[in-house]
Structure formats: C-alpha cells, structure tokens
Amino acid sequence: MKKIIALYRRGDTGKTETLNYVIEILNTITTGNLIPLVPNHTDRQATFVFNGLTVSVCTAGDNAAEIKQNEAYFNNQKCDIAITASRSRGESVDAINAMANSNGVGIQWVRKLVRPHNVYHLNVSDAHQIISWIY
C-alpha cells in the first residue's frame, strides 16, 4: 500500500454514493464499459488497475470494525491505493490512522461536500476529486 484516500464526513452525507461513483467511473475508464451514474446506497468493494496502480475502493467506513474489514480487503488485494469512507472523528478515524501507521503510508483526507440541493452533482464532483488523488 502506497497511500490511503479517506472520504470523511458525518453519517448520511453521501459518502457511500460518492464512493460508488468512484467505482463506476474507474470501471468505465478501465474496461470501456459505460455505466450510467445512478445513486447506489449499497456498500461494496472493488479493485481496478488504473494508471499502472492497483486501486481498491471500499464504500463502508463508519466504524472501526468496517475499517478493519476494509484493511483486510486492501491487504488481500495488495493494492497500491486504498480508498475508504470515514466519519469525521472517532473510532473510524483512529482505525484509519492505525492502518496508515501499520503500513507506513500517508493519508489523503477528502472532506465530503454537503449541500441541501444538487446532491448528485456534489457526489460526482467529489468522486472526480478522489480519482484525481490517485495519480
């Protein structure tokens, strides 16, 4: 693992949907299959080879148990870039810091944008920002 990208904010702000957009965009880029960007509220995990890097995305991350499951997935996939959701503070942040320390890598914290309207556009914008941090 070379870097962790953590999308953080309080609960119910669209972190899962945003990371699902990251998965959809990476899938389209790496396979050429066009998938419409529709909101997906289901937690999932996916791995891609993107720009010569193995990139793994886990949409869950609201607590330490989920972060530990994500870390096991990241290690199993031998990813270069690990992307996860996180809360703004507390046990998920502590677990991500511990993961970074145990792997000797840095963390790129990405604050989830939140507004009452145009949520779709904010989530897609955040997804593109996250993808820009992969390089």
Side-chain angles (χ1 to χ4, degrees):
M1 192 179 310
K2 296 178 180 177
K3 177 169 45 172
I4 298 169
I5 300 173
L7 179 65
Y8 73 95
R9 199 66 184 235
R10 63 178 164 74
D12 297 320
T13 56
K15 297 182 303 290
T16 296
E17 292 87 347
T18 298
L19 292 180
N20 274 310
Y21 290 141
V22 170
I23 290 170
E24 307 272 344
I25 293 166
L26 288 174
N27 182 60
T28 298
I29 291 169
T30 60
T31 68
N33 295 328
L34 297 179
I35 299 174
L37 295 179
V38 294
N40 186 336
H41 306 282
T42 304
D43 281 321
R44 59 187 175 147
Q45 303 169 329
T47 299
F48 305 91
V49 176
F50 176 67
N51 285 345
L53 298 169
T54 301
V55 179
S56 293
V57 182
C58 294
T59 64
D62 282 345
N63 58 58
E66 289 176 343
I67 297 298
K68 288 178 183 177
Q69 289 175 349
N70 293 352
E71 183 175 13
Y73 177 79
F74 297 146
N75 290 334
N76 184 52
Q77 297 297 310
K78 296 177 176 42
C79 69
D80 297 304
I81 308 295
I83 302 173
T84 184
S86 175
R87 289 291 177 100
S88 300
R89 60 178 184 257
E91 65 181 39
S92 63
V93 172
D94 295 341
I96 291 171
N97 284 324
M99 179 177 21
N101 288 335
S102 69
N103 288 282
V105 299
I107 307 167
Q108 177 65 53
W109 294 97
V110 180
R111 187 170 192 244
K112 176 74 187 84
L113 296 176
V114 179
R115 290 196 184 105
H117 303 291
N118 295 325
V119 174
Y120 170 82
H121 297 293
L122 288 176
N123 291 345
V124 172
S125 175
D126 283 342
H128 284 284
Q129 180 187 7
I130 290 165
I131 291 169
S132 77
W133 285 108
I134 294 172
Y135 296 98

